Amino acid sequence: MSTITEQKQTTQVYRVFIKATPQAVWDAITTPEWTDQYGYGGAVEYELKKGGSYRHLASAEMTKAGEELGFPVPDVIIDGEVLEADPPKRLVHTWHFMMSPDFAEDAVGTVTYELEALHGGVTRLTLIHELEGAPATALMVSSDEDPTEGGGGWAWVLSDLKSLLETGSRLSD
């Protein structure tokens, strides 16, 4: 689910229920062994403390796609700073998309992950992406286009994460 305001899509909220513990979901969000397996791939690097760094690295597939499209993909595609880390309940960090020069004008946003244990071994994962002054990024992360064509946005990433944790397989497998 996405909440997109008419003021240039400044806040997007996504929620998914995952049959896994909050710790398993936390690990899937914060460790490179997991993040390279779902969504668009690519390893993450977190310093899970206030003021720590956050970096999302380009996967080999991203680099290849960039070459095919005629633009170089940087090693770090998303850069940020950890604002809050409360494992396995809440993670807040800044989010600056750097994969393409098309996003250079966009302001730095904030991503918040909230994880809540529910009955029956289910975790409610809520992702809030604040995008004030970042219209190009807002359109990209809210995309409902075919993920195999570069679309899908947060809905795709979270759906793929859910599938991987619950079944051991990605949606595209």
Side-chain angles (χ1 to χ4, degrees):
M1 174 191 120
S2 154
T3 303
I4 302 175
T5 66
E6 290 185 35
Q7 296 81 28
K8 298 184 183 178
Q9 305 176 349
T10 57
T11 302
Q12 296 180 16
V13 180
Y14 301 87
R15 183 166 291 128
V16 64
F17 297 85
I18 304 172
K19 182 82 169 170
T21 65
Q23 186 64 53
V25 177
W26 178 271
D27 291 344
I29 293 167
T30 62
T31 62
E33 298 81 16
W34 278 101
T35 60
D36 202 35
Q37 295 183 59
Y38 66 88
Y40 302 103
V44 295
E45 296 175 348
Y46 277 103
E47 289 181 292
L48 291 170
K49 62 181 182 177
K50 185 175 181 162
S53 67
Y54 159 66
R55 298 175 357 136
H56 195 127
L57 308 177
S59 67
E61 292 81 15
M62 289 177 208
T63 301
K64 182 180 176 188
E67 290 170 358
E68 290 172 358
L69 294 171
F71 70 89
V73 173
D75 292 339
V76 178
I77 59 165
I78 304 168
D79 187 43
E81 176 185 341
V82 175
L83 303 175
E84 183 181 343
D86 182 15
K89 298 176 186 173
R90 184 174 165 88
L91 175 62
V92 183
H93 60 79
T94 60
W95 203 89
H96 184 222
F97 192 64
M98 303 177 354
M99 188 162 167
S100 162
D102 297 341
F103 301 91
E105 301 286 321
D106 276 4
V108 174
T110 302
V111 171
T112 301
Y113 295 92
E114 297 174 342
L115 293 82
E116 182 181 354
L118 303 176
H119 292 94
V122 172
T123 297
R124 176 174 41 214
L125 170 59
T126 303
L127 183 142
I128 305 162
H129 198 157
E130 297 290 341
L131 293 148
E132 182 71 38
T137 303
L139 287 172
M140 189 235 356
V141 300
S142 67
S143 171
D144 62 358
E145 300 296 321
D146 184 345
T148 63
E149 299 293 322
W154 279 120
W156 163 252
V157 171
L158 296 177
S159 295
D160 207 22
L161 167 64
K162 174 182 172 62
S163 179
L164 182 63
L165 284 172
E166 290 181 346
T167 70
S169 296
R170 299 184 59 176
L171 291 171
S172 58
D173 287 348

